[in-house]
Amino acid sequence: MTTVFRPLKKLDQAEVISFVVQISDSKESPGFNWTKEFLESEFLTSSCFVLESQGQIRAFVALKSLAEADEITCLAVRAQEKRQGWGSLILTNLIENRANDAKSHNAEIWLEVHIQNELAQGLYTKFGFKVVGHRKAYYSDGGDAILMSLRLSR
């Protein structure tokens, strides 16, 4: 089975919107607000990547380059594909991509994760992300955000 980490193509956008909005609308994803409009904006303003296997996109990640760091604004795995390693695989590829990108001056990746999203917190911790802050009532459901950061090895 060939798996490819690659930049998002225009032709991928409808498929990504479909499964990411479905995740956002589910009860499993408290406080997420990943709407079609949010994703369309990310496609224009962020570096977006997909993990594709057997002709199907399994995971998606959007990364915004800021002055101080790169920020993961969305990382999503198809609902039916969770706990099968796709999140780890896309995160591994993203970290390697950023660490080896000669054009990127940023040596850190930031993200926010819902305080109730223990699955994601565990994934990020496994990859060396450290808790660096907390935002009270950050999400639409009133849930707090945990701020995490990873220093890249270059």
Side-chain angles (χ1 to χ4, degrees), residues 5 8 18 21 34 45 49 53 56-58 63 66 68 73-74 78-79 86 90 93 107-108 120 128 144 149-150 152:
F5 175 79
L8 177 83
S18 176
V21 169
W34 292 341
T45 62
F49 301 92
S53 179
Q56 185 176 33
I57 295 172
R58 308 297 175 153
L63 188 79
L66 308 172
E68 310 84 17
T73 57
C74 180
R78 283 183 183 274
W86 300 114
I90 198 165
N93 280 275
E108 203 166 359
D144 295 352
S149 177
L150 173 70
L152 297 173

Side-chain angles (χ1 to χ4, degrees), residues 4-24:
V4 179
F5 175 79
R6 62 171 175 76
L8 177 83
K9 298 175 188 170
K10 185 127 180 93
L11 291 172
D12 301 326
Q13 291 179 2
E15 183 178 354
V16 168
I17 288 169
S18 176
F19 81 80
V20 174
V21 169
Q22 180 184 15
I23 292 167
S24 183

Side-chain angles (χ1 to χ4, degrees), residues 88-149:
S88 291
L89 197 51
I90 198 165
L91 199 50
T92 296
N93 280 275
L94 179 70
I95 292 167
E96 288 175 5
N97 175 279
R98 300 322 293 168
N100 297 322
D101 185 352
K103 292 184 281 183
S104 176
H105 60 280
N106 291 333
E108 203 166 359
I109 297 175
W110 296 343
L111 59 84
E112 291 134 359
V113 61
H114 197 290
I115 197 162
Q116 292 179 354
N117 192 342
E118 294 174 2
L119 182 63
Q121 290 174 49
L123 174 68
Y124 300 134
T125 300
K126 179 175 98 174
F127 278 86
F129 281 83
K130 305 283 187 228
V131 174
V132 295
H134 194 111
R135 287 192 177 139
K136 286 283 202 193
Y138 179 77
Y139 289 98
S140 62
D141 68 346
D144 295 352
I146 295 173
L147 309 176
M148 301 184 84
S149 177

